[in-house]
Amino acid sequence: MAAPPAERSFDVIVVGAGIIGSCAAHAVASRGASVLLLERFDLLHQRGSSHGESRTTRPTYTRPQYPPMVRLAHRLWHEAERDAGYTVLTPTPHLDLGPRDAPAFVAAMANGGATELAPAGDASRPAWAEAFRVPEGWAAATSGPAGVIKATKAMAMFQTLAAKMGAVVRDRTEVVDVARQGEGNTIVVKTSTGEEFHGGKCIITVGAWASKLVKSITGADLPVQPVHTLVCYWRVKPGHEEELTTEAGFPTFATYGEPGFYGTPSMEYPGLIKVCRNGGPPCDPDGRDWATGTGAGGIAEIVARWIDEFMPGVVDTTGGPVLRQPCMCCMTPDEDFVIDFLGGEEFGKDVVVGAGFSGHGFKMGPAVGKILAELALDGESGTAAEAGLELEHYLIGRFEGNPMGKATSH
């Protein structure tokens, strides 16, 4: 897959082979167009935001534009699984916990069609509900479609499917410039080794490096700030190992508040469960402190306090998490995505940017990738229109004269 391409000209060049770029390349190839997918590091590397064992998917969002995108993505996940012949998404229930009267929680439950858990003693109450302690004044509600996505496996699936349809996939190729060739219709993509590739269109999906690359190309500031986060796996208390698994129907879960927390059933590592905090401190993707959040008062300690309050009977925080895995989230000020044309006199609609997925974009990768592909090939997205998705929520222009965009809870 990573062999140097014999051809240097393509209908579309996708820069960045994380989940969004991989899905975009797959969507372009599925249209019969020629596509080159370039990755700065090794394929499936662990230096960005798409790697790891798992991601959650859920329909509950404060902002109503996201549940339809989640539903579209679920359909596309299943279509890709059918084509690949294996699964990457394991369906589960999803549980949200939050202050009963908090506007963000109320809106998210309404937008996601969530149903409040039945009270203790009710025959319809699931057995796994006893794993959670719900504070006074809080509520717990379930929703779907939801589940656990095997992250690295999913990324590989889309890369493989794209390659089978003729896409050229090349890693260890750092893109340093994107420019229009003269007054023609060709976009030239230049690498750090001096290579040049020509495309009719270009899609930029470089995650934590988006601001740097866009700045070098156009001089404009794209407000995407990478933050360092820590994925933590904790030991399940003896006697509860089977109860907290996907096979037992245990849910993905999340809380509303500042900070927010989330987790997945015990799945990747037997006897361990993933529980994490949203967000983290700002970081430079080219100069990260890989140990951030592991010391006293760090992310792991904050998560341990949440577990001791909300899941004290089933998860052991003694000694901290058993496994710690660093990751990055790429945040916009309002935590909405950037899905837009780079624009300007030079690029117009020939260069498309997907960035700033703010810690909640992986689940929607197939939907976003298809939208980006259609924007590049057609100048508009029929899929978005059919699904009722309003792309004006994701335009770069929302930050002009307003650096915070539409900043509210998502």
Side-chain angles (χ1 to χ4, degrees):
M1 284 175 59
E7 296 292 333
R8 299 284 166 170
S9 296
F10 300 84
D11 295 323
V12 180
I13 299 173
V14 181
V15 182
I19 188 60
I20 303 296
S22 299
C23 289
H26 168 261
V28 172
S30 70
R31 290 275 300 272
S34 62
V35 57
L36 170 65
L37 176 60
L38 297 175
E39 170 54 51
R40 175 180 179 179
F41 305 110
D42 287 306
L43 293 177
L44 310 180
H45 66 86
Q46 299 189 35
R47 298 177 63 170
S49 304
S50 293
H51 64 282
E53 287 295 321
S54 62
R55 298 291 189 279
T56 64
T57 177
R58 59 179 169 87
T60 44
Y61 273 90
T62 298
R63 300 179 190 177
Q65 66 263 32
Y66 288 108
M69 191 179 288
V70 172
R71 291 191 290 270
L72 170 62
H74 268 253
R75 176 171 65 81
L76 297 174
W77 280 116
H78 294 317
E79 289 179 3
E81 290 176 322
R82 177 202 63 205
D83 293 342
Y86 55 85
T87 62
V88 297
L89 195 165
T90 300
T92 70
H94 177 71
L95 178 71
D96 282 299
L97 303 104
R100 179 179 296 278
D101 298 324
F105 178 74
V106 172
M109 298 311 100
N111 291 334
T115 302
E116 187 168 351
L117 274 181
D122 191 295
S124 65
R125 183 178 173 88
W128 52 255
E130 306 313 312
F132 298 92
R133 177 188 290 169
V134 182
E136 185 71 26
W138 281 48
T142 59
S143 59
V148 181
I149 303 166
K150 296 289 286 183
T152 299
K153 183 181 178 183
M155 193 163 41
M157 177 181 72
F158 277 102
Q159 292 172 5
T160 301
L161 289 174
K164 285 183 177 180
M165 290 185 288
V168 175
V169 184
R170 182 172 177 180
D171 63 358
R172 299 190 182 186
T173 305
E174 180 184 3
V175 170
V176 295
D177 192 30
V178 177
R180 184 177 296 283
Q181 186 177 58
E183 297 181 359
N185 296 323
T186 300
I187 300 298
V188 180
V189 175
K190 302 178 182 179
T191 74
S192 59
T193 60
E195 290 183 283
E196 292 187 0
F197 300 98
H198 293 187
K201 308 286 184 177
C202 180
I203 301 173
I204 297 174
T205 53
V206 292
W209 289 266
S211 290
K212 292 187 176 187
L213 185 57
V214 169
K215 181 76 170 179
S216 71
I217 293 170
T218 68
D221 292 314
L222 184 67
V224 176
Q225 173 63 59
V227 302
H228 175 96
T229 189
L230 197 65
V231 176
C232 298
Y233 288 87
W234 307 81
R235 193 173 305 283
V236 178
K237 288 187 174 181
H240 297 281
E241 293 88 348
E242 297 302 319
E243 300 169 18
L244 273 58
T245 62
T246 53
E247 291 83 359
F250 201 76
T252 57
F253 51 94
T255 64
Y256 282 73
E258 291 296 337
F261 297 85
Y262 69 95
T264 62
S266 179
M267 180 176 174
E268 305 98 296
Y269 305 103
L272 303 184
I273 185 169
K274 184 169 87 172
V275 186
C276 311
R277 178 201 147 170
N278 290 326
C283 68
D284 179 347
D286 294 312
R288 295 165 66 187
D289 176 0
W290 298 90
T292 296
T294 60
I299 294 173
E301 188 173 294
I302 294 170
V303 176
R305 290 199 295 269
W306 182 89
I307 292 172
D308 289 341
E309 180 178 359
F310 284 85
M311 303 180 73
V314 294
V315 181
D316 188 357
T317 60
T318 305
V322 178
L323 295 175
R324 302 172 175 88
Q325 299 172 347
C327 192
M328 285 189 292
C329 295
C330 307
M331 312 299 293
T332 62
D334 55 14
E335 300 185 23
D336 277 333
F337 307 159
V338 170
I339 302 172
D340 200 2
F341 300 104
L342 197 54
E345 293 185 7
E346 181 176 5
F347 296 113
K349 290 189 174 183
D350 290 337
V351 178
V352 185
V353 178
F357 294 99
S358 301
H360 63 108
F362 195 105
K363 67 178 74 66
M364 289 173 266
V368 174
K370 188 168 186 178
I371 290 168
L372 291 170
E374 291 177 348
L375 291 176
L377 292 169
D378 306 326
E380 60 184 8
S381 174
T383 295
E386 292 170 8
L389 306 180
E390 299 175 348
L391 297 184
E392 61 264 27
H393 294 290
Y394 313 113
L395 301 182
I396 297 171
R398 71 183 189 269
F399 299 110
E400 294 177 4
N402 179 19
M404 295 304 293
K406 302 174 181 178
T408 59
S409 174
H410 68 278

